[in-house]
Structures are given as structure tokens and as C-alpha cells.
């Protein structure tokens, strides 16, 4: 099949082989319309994408009510009375009245960001991110699910206080930074040196917000869901030490993941990783997974569907059906009625799920490695079943 498209005027147009995800459209202009955030293009990353620095102020109590009421007004059914997809458009006067950003590239190097304004204010979080990426780099954007999960962490801080937390698919690291304000240790994980470097810079930019000490804080590490092993290469700056792996298994009680289910294969890999790690933790744990139910019209169904979300729900059901002698998984939705600490559009399609992992048999530190190897071997059938059934 010829992939060359024909322009209406007779000229050849390039084929749209690569989908670009733009956060300013997908997220309802959350970056461009946020009144308490500033955006400054600071550099180009190694693949030529412009990198922005945005400041997000945590809303005060009186501002939370206003943000919640605003989100409720904007959140409505995306289907009209005939069942057709109805895409909401922002009023023209709103677009004309907003403050527009005029980004300027300051440097194409990896130099440090030298902004002094608001550096001493503890309720401001600064995040490096991109505005538009191809599918493989979506982790470099900030998605609404990260704001929702961060809201929950701030509203339920007692559940995370003093805990060792693992974030899967951390992206820019927003949720890890937020939970680090109360947690003991946070393992902030993803894949790709460029993304992990951005994430580590964000951690450094928010040391004023993170509650750290000499042995605690946020550790940015690589964790590939498609492999069963941790990266222990001593030459890698994002590799794991043996002490960190032991600490993860011995002390982790909370696992978080924000809006990471946009591809069925990756969703399968997420649940296999969640199952593998949580089954080998020394203590019972709780996982919180945020997701946005994205509606799409498909030719296969000739209707609006949410195939990626449906697959996510299927995986949730599968993990509860696994029968293990030492581990039981319980899944429940979390009501999104908690306060809104960040100003974004909390649409009805945003959901938060809680996966409780109850262990009936603890693993002693002295036999941890041997037991983990045995558990990995005996549970391989169950891991495969999550994606194949």
C-alpha cells in the first residue's frame, strides 16, 4: 500500500506514520491555562524535544473549593443525546483572555536551571517536562492521572507517612516528589536514561519540598517491566545496589502508578511486575493506580469505546482471581471526592484504584534471595496467565 498521501492541491503530503501526543490538547490545556504556573523553555533534550520548567503551587483550603467546583462544571458526558461523541470546546473568550506563554530556549546544554524566584516557598513544585512527544516518550509529559494521585497522597498523608514507597512508571516524578514529603524512602522508577535524567533533575529542583535525611529521600532507578531482573550494572548511574534491592523487598509497603496504562502490552507488563514484586515483599502492601478512561471512536466497533481501559479492568479482575498460598489480592475503587490540591480539570473519566496485597507468610531477611528465586519460579505460570487469559 502506498503510504504517500495526496494533497488537495495536487502536492504530495507526508504520511502520518507517527502519532504525536500533545499534553496541551490531551490534558485540556492544563499546562497553558494553569493560572498559578509559569512555563519557561530551558533547553533541548538529547533527541531535540523542547523541555519546559513549570511551577505548580499547591492550592490552599479556600482555593481547593474553587478548583473542585470549576472541575465539576467542566466535567460532563462526552456523548450527546444521539449517542455521538461530543468534544467539548473551550469558549473563545477564555482562550483570548488567558496569559500566553512565549518560550525562549536559554540553552541547549545540560546546564543547571538558575531561577531564584520562589525557591524558598515550600508549596511550589517545579517540574521539567515536554509539551508534545511520540508514544514512546509520553513519560516526559505530566498527565492528569499524576495530579489525581498526588491529590490523594496529600489528602491521605497518614497512609504514606514514614513508608517505603515504590513508584512504577514515574515519568517526570511528580507523584514521587509529592509522596516524598511524608515518606521515608521513595524508589522512583522508569526506563530510559533521558527520562530518568529529567526525573532526577526534578527531584533535585524540589529538595525544598522533599523531607530528606542522609539515608532517606528519593532514589531514581531503572525498572524495566519487560524483564524479571533489576539493573545491577555498577557502571549505570540508575542501577540498583544489593542493599537497595534488599531494602525494597524488606520495607516497601506502598506501590503507586499514575496513568501508565495506554498500551495493552505495557498494561500486562505492569501487572506482571506488580504481582512479581508485591508477592515477594516481606510485608503486606497497598498499590494505588490512577487511570483516565479515554473515549475513542473505533472503526472495528463503529462506536465509542475504551479498549485500553477495558483491558486494564480485565487485568484487575485477573489478579484477584490468582490463587496463592501466601498472597491474596483485593481490588477496590477509591472515591475521587478527596480535596483537589492542584489546579487541573478533574474529569469524570479519572479513576483511582486500590490493590491490597495481603501476605500470609513473611520472608526472613536471611533467606530473602533464596525464597524470592523460588517464588519467581513457581509463580511464572500465574504471571503468564495475567496476559494470556
Amino acid at each position: 500500500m502506498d503510504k504517500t498521501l495526496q494533497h488537495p492541491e495536487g502536492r504530495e503530503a507526508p504520511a502520518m506514520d507517527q502519532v504525536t501526543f500533545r499534553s496541551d490538547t490531551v490534558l485540556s490545556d492544563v499546562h497553558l491555562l494553569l493560572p498559578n504556573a509559569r512555563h519557561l523553555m530551558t533547553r533541548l533534550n538529547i533527541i531535540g524535544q523542547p523541555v519546559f520548567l513549570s511551577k505548580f503551587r499547591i492550592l490552599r483550603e479556600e482555593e481547593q473549593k474553587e478548583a473542585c467546583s470549576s472541575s465539576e462544571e467542566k466535567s460532563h458526558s462526552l456523548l450527546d443525546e444521539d449517542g455521538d461523541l461530543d468534544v467539548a470546546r473551550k469558549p473563545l473568550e477564555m482562550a483570548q483572555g488567558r496569559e500566553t506563554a512565549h518560550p525562549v530556549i536559554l540553552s541547549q546544554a545540560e546546564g543547571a536551571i538558575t531561577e531564584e524566584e520562589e525557591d524558598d516557598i515550600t508549596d511550589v513544585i517545579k517540574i521539567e517536562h515536554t509539551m508534545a512527544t511520540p508514544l514512546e516518550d509520553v513519560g516526559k509529559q505530566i498527565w492528569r492521572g499524576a495530579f489525581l494521585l498526588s491529590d490523594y497522597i496529600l489528602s491521605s498523608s497518614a497512609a504514606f507517612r514514614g513508608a517505603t514507597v515504590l513508584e512504577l512508571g514515574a515519568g517526570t516524578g511528580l507523584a514521587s516528589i509529592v509522596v516524598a514529603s511524608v515518606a521515608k524512602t521513595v524508589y522512583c522508577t522508569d526506563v530510559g536514561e533521558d527520562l530518568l535524567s529529567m526525573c532526577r533533575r526534578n527531584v533535585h529542583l524540589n529538595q525544598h519540598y522533599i523531607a530528606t535525611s542522609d539515608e532517606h529521600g528519593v532514589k531514581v532507578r531503572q525498572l524495566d517491566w519487560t524483564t524479571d531482573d533489576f539493573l545491577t550494572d555498577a557502571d549505570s548511574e540508575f542501577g540498583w545496589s544489593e542493599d537497595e534491592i534488599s531494602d525494597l523487598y524488606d520495607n516497601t509497603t506502598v506501590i503507586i502508578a499514575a496513568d501508565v496504562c495506554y498500551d495493552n502490552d505495557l498494561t500486562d507488563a505492569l501487572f506482571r511486575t506488580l504481582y512479581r514484586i508485591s508477592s515477594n515483599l516481606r510485608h503486606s502492601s497497598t498499590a494505588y493506580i490512577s487511570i483516565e478512561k479515554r473515549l475513542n471512536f473505533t472503526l472495528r466497533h463503529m462506536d465509542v469505546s475504551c479498549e485500553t481501559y477495558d483491558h486494564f479492568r480485565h487485568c484487575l479482575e485477573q489478579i484477584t482471581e490468582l490463587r496463592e498460598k501466601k498472597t491474596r489480592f483485593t481490588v477496590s475503587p477509591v472515591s475521587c471526592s478527596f480535596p483537589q490540591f492542584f489546579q487541573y480539570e478533574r474529569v469524570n473519566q479519572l479513576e483511582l484504584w486500590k490493590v491490597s496485597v495481603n501476605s500470609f507468610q513473611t520472608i526472613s531477611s536471611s533467606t530473602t534471595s533464596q525464597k524470592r528465586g523460588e517464588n519467581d519460579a513457581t509463580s511464572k505460570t500465574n504471571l503468564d496467565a495475567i496476559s494470556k487469559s
Side-chain angles (χ1 to χ4, degrees):
M1 177 179 178
D2 187 3
K3 293 186 178 181
T4 302
L5 304 180
Q6 193 68 23
H7 192 276
E9 298 180 3
R11 301 191 307 270
E12 288 187 353
M16 297 177 63
D17 291 334
Q18 187 177 45
V19 178
T20 298
F21 287 78
R22 292 177 54 83
S23 61
D24 56 348
T25 55
V26 175
L27 292 183
S28 302
D29 291 338
V30 68
H31 292 298
L32 300 181
L33 288 177
L34 195 60
N36 59 15
R38 295 183 56 196
H39 319 280
L40 181 67
M41 187 185 293
T42 61
R43 60 187 174 84
L44 295 177
N45 62 17
I46 60 175
I47 58 175
Q49 296 168 342
V51 175
F52 291 80
L53 173 67
S54 295
K55 294 184 177 182
F56 301 97
R57 183 168 58 84
I58 298 175
L59 300 180
R60 300 179 178 88
E61 185 175 356
E62 61 274 11
E63 297 171 315
Q64 293 172 15
K65 297 178 181 178
E66 181 180 349
C68 289
S69 60
S70 175
S71 292
E72 290 173 0
E73 291 176 1
K74 295 177 182 177
S75 301
H76 59 276
S77 175
L78 296 179
L79 302 179
D80 62 17
E81 57 185 13
D82 297 325
D84 299 321
L85 186 62
D86 184 16
V87 180
R89 305 291 183 185
K90 293 188 179 297
L92 182 61
E93 58 271 16
M94 178 184 294
Q96 292 175 341
R98 72 187 184 193
E99 294 183 4
T100 57
H102 301 281
V104 177
I105 298 177
L106 299 183
S107 172
Q108 296 185 17
E110 294 285 333
I113 297 168
T114 58
E115 279 202 316
E116 297 180 358
E117 184 182 357
E118 295 180 340
D119 278 354
D120 58 341
I121 300 179
T122 58
D123 61 352
V124 172
I125 295 178
K126 294 173 286 187
I127 298 293
E128 278 194 18
H129 61 93
T130 59
M131 290 290 196
T133 62
L135 181 61
E136 62 268 19
D137 287 329
V138 292
K140 295 177 182 176
Q141 299 184 51
I142 308 175
W143 301 95
R144 269 192 294 232
F147 287 115
L148 181 74
L149 180 57
S150 298
D151 279 344
Y152 180 75
I153 293 169
L154 290 172
S155 64
S156 307
S157 58
F160 303 89
R161 192 173 305 280
T164 296
V165 180
L166 167 66
E167 181 172 12
L168 301 174
T172 61
L174 174 63
S176 283
I177 292 168
V178 171
V179 76
S181 64
V182 292
K184 174 184 175 182
T185 305
V186 180
Y187 290 99
C188 177
T189 69
D190 214 309
V191 293
E193 288 193 6
D194 194 31
L195 174 59
L196 291 171
S197 295
M198 175 185 287
C199 187
R200 185 173 58 184
R201 279 191 297 273
N202 286 332
V203 171
H204 177 72
L205 284 169
N206 293 281
Q207 288 299 323
H208 64 283
Y209 184 79
I210 298 173
T212 61
S213 63
D214 292 340
E215 67 276 11
H216 303 158
V218 181
K219 301 178 185 292
V220 180
R221 297 291 180 263
Q222 177 166 309
L223 183 59
D224 188 345
W225 303 346
T226 63
T227 65
D228 293 338
D229 299 321
F230 290 91
L231 176 66
T232 56
D233 185 357
D235 295 331
S236 173
E237 56 184 328
F238 301 109
W240 297 72
S241 69
E242 292 297 329
D243 288 342
E244 289 171 343
I245 296 174
S246 295
D247 177 60
L248 174 76
Y249 280 120
D250 290 343
N251 298 307
T252 297
T253 55
V254 178
I255 299 174
I256 59 176
D259 214 346
V260 294
C261 297
Y262 53 87
D263 174 88
N264 287 355
D265 291 337
L266 283 177
T267 300
D268 292 336
L270 166 69
F271 277 88
R272 286 197 299 268
T273 300
L274 175 63
Y275 175 85
R276 176 174 58 86
I277 291 180
S278 60
S279 296
N280 287 295
L281 295 179
R282 188 177 183 185
H283 304 286
S284 296
S285 61
T286 304
Y288 297 95
I289 306 174
S290 67
I291 188 172
E292 181 169 351
K293 185 178 180 180
R294 294 183 171 90
L295 304 173
N296 297 286
F297 182 87
T298 63
L299 294 176
R300 185 158 67 94
H301 295 94
M302 291 303 292
D303 198 358
V304 175
S305 64
C306 308
E307 292 183 315
T308 302
Y309 172 81
D310 293 341
H311 187 72
F312 167 77
R313 291 293 304 270
H314 178 61
C315 289
L316 282 179
E317 294 175 3
Q318 283 182 308
I319 202 168
T320 62
E321 295 171 357
L322 296 178
R323 294 293 179 261
E324 288 281 324
K325 291 183 177 179
K326 79 176 195 69
T327 308
R328 183 178 64 202
F329 295 84
T330 306
V331 174
S332 60
V334 177
S335 171
C336 293
S337 60
F338 45 85
Q340 186 168 336
F341 291 88
F342 292 90
Q343 189 155 352
Y344 64 100
E345 192 175 354
R346 189 184 283 185
V347 297
N348 292 331
Q349 289 73 34
L350 280 171
E351 296 181 358
L352 182 63
W353 289 85
K354 177 181 178 181
V355 181
S356 300
V357 187
N358 298 312
S359 299
F360 301 104
Q361 172 184 334
T362 60
I363 304 175
S364 63
S365 299
S366 59
T367 60
T368 295
S369 298
Q370 179 182 355
K371 291 294 184 181
R372 285 175 198 144
E374 294 174 357
N375 289 337
D376 285 343
T378 57
S379 63
K380 189 177 188 303
T381 301
N382 284 335
L383 293 173
D384 292 339
I386 290 179
S387 58
K388 291 180 179 179
S389 63

